[in-house]
Amino acid sequence: LRGRCLGRGAAVDPARDTFGAMTGLYGAIQPADSVSLSTRTHGAVFNLEYSPDGSVLTVACEQTEVLLFDPISSKHIKTLSEAHEDCVNNIRFLDNRLFATCSDDTTIALWDLRKLNTKVCTLHGHTSWVKNIEYDTNTRLLVTSGFDGNVIIWDTNRCTEDGCPHKKFFHTRFLMRMRLTPDCSKMLISTSSGYLLILHDLDLNKSLEVGSYPILRARRTTSSSDITSSGSSGPRAVGSPCHQNNSGPLSEKTLSRPSQREGGSPRNSLEVLTPEVPGERDRGNCITSLQLHPKGWATLLRCSSNTDDQEWTCVYEFQEGAPVRPVSPRCSLRLTHCIEEANVGRGYIKELCFSPDGRMISSPHGFGIRLLGFDAHCSELVDCLPREASPLREIRSLYSHNDVVLTTKFSPTHCQIASGCLSGRVSLYQPKF
């Protein structure tokens, strides 16, 4: 029964054995098996995204362009030469044909693979660089975040050529990344000042105003002290493209704790954490990259120190259940695994990712990528949870770039990994048969 609750039973997850075999193949990947796709004229590669069926690889470029490739044949399909008026930061597929892009020009664009000559529509609502896109497949709501500190909800059910109805859902200072858990029950928001915000029992139909959060639980991930009473370093300005925004801070009113609604926990209850980072107990840190385990078991963070002299990849397990003491709120995250990174390309965000089965992590590491596992056998996280934080195990290192790697992505359907670097080159890695 416990296995089924974790989604490990054959009746719950029939693809588990298939992904288990695929995970074994990743260990056979060699750097010589990479296929380089020349994108040097398009600027740095900021984001890579596969379509859900793995048939298309999209590339978000610094110089206003989006590239599309066939990942199986490594052939170029299409270049959207003026996708935006500024850097393209993130791409998100809504289904196998529709995808969204966001840019430093403050807009989001919707595209249809069947008709790429024109945009489906352009969405206006942010006032600064838009950095992140999420999508709730159940409600068909698009969720975006930007350096204006806003999280905005877009109703794609009522989309027209002029755009989609939208509303501001949430606002916080120094917002960097925003993610939804796979079941859309939680929203996680990372900040450049080292805070991680978690909205529990998520309701995207209800906008949140400062001071209206049902609960605020603020503490360090492994400490009993609240961040409201502990000393914390101030926010910092980091190099492009991680810039500090000018949004207003969280209000003192957010420290109030209204009573819960009758019949269950309140919707959109807010928890504020300062995740523990090795060696960073006395210094601030910036959470530059935020990803979630495909089964919602854990969150994956890329953190850099306040002085930019260290960089870490950390895995935090979600801990569910009631608080041990009502007066001292439960911390929802526990640091389980971590590893120090190369710390090159300072000031740039390095986007890392989980494999489709959640057993491996692909992490930018200098001029290449590292494949990391929770143990040497690439076991599932729930099978190798340590009592104390343990180092991630390096399964294989792959180096085929001549510049700093900024992003990497696993194919959702094939044994393939893509990576993109600062000089604009995309590499594909796959085993040789």
Side-chain angles (χ1 to χ4, degrees), residues 52 92-96 98-100 110 133 135 137 140 142 156:
R92 178 66 186 237
F93 275 85
L94 283 59
D95 52 37
N96 284 321
L98 289 173
F99 66 95
L110 294 182
I133 307 173
Y135 183 65
T137 56
R140 291 177 53 85
L142 198 68
T156 61

Side-chain angles (χ1 to χ4, degrees), residues 200-237:
H200 296 270
D201 197 12
L202 189 65
D203 181 4
L204 294 176
N205 293 311
K206 179 183 178 183
S207 295
L208 298 179
E209 299 296 335
V210 173
S212 68
Y213 315 125
I215 297 178
L216 177 66
R217 296 170 289 183
R219 60 183 301 180
R220 194 173 183 86
T221 53
T222 58
S223 171
S224 59
S225 61
D226 282 357
I227 61 168
T228 54
S229 60
S230 63
S232 60
S233 64
R236 64 175 190 138

Side-chain angles (χ1 to χ4, degrees), residues 114 184 342-343 423:
R114 300 170 300 181
C184 296
N343 193 39
S423 62

Side-chain angles (χ1 to χ4, degrees), residues 77 176 249 279 314 328 334 432:
I77 300 173
M176 288 291 293
C314 302
S328 180
R334 180 177 73 91
K432 182 184 292 182

Side-chain angles (χ1 to χ4, degrees), residues 46 62 87 104 129 131 238-243 345-349:
F46 285 161
E62 179 184 17
C87 303
D104 284 356
W129 302 347
K131 293 293 184 181
V238 292
S240 174
C242 311
H243 284 300
R346 298 185 183 185
Y348 281 92
I349 299 173

Side-chain angles (χ1 to χ4, degrees), residues 42 63-67 78-86 88 101 103 105 107 109 111 116-119 122:
H42 309 283
Q63 301 294 338
T64 75
E65 297 184 348
V66 173
L67 308 178
K78 179 77 172 178
T79 296
L80 307 179
S81 57
E82 296 181 358
H84 287 275
E85 296 178 359
D86 208 333
V88 184
T101 60
S103 169
D105 66 6
T107 69
W111 304 86
L116 290 170
N117 293 329
T118 58
K119 303 175 184 177
T122 301

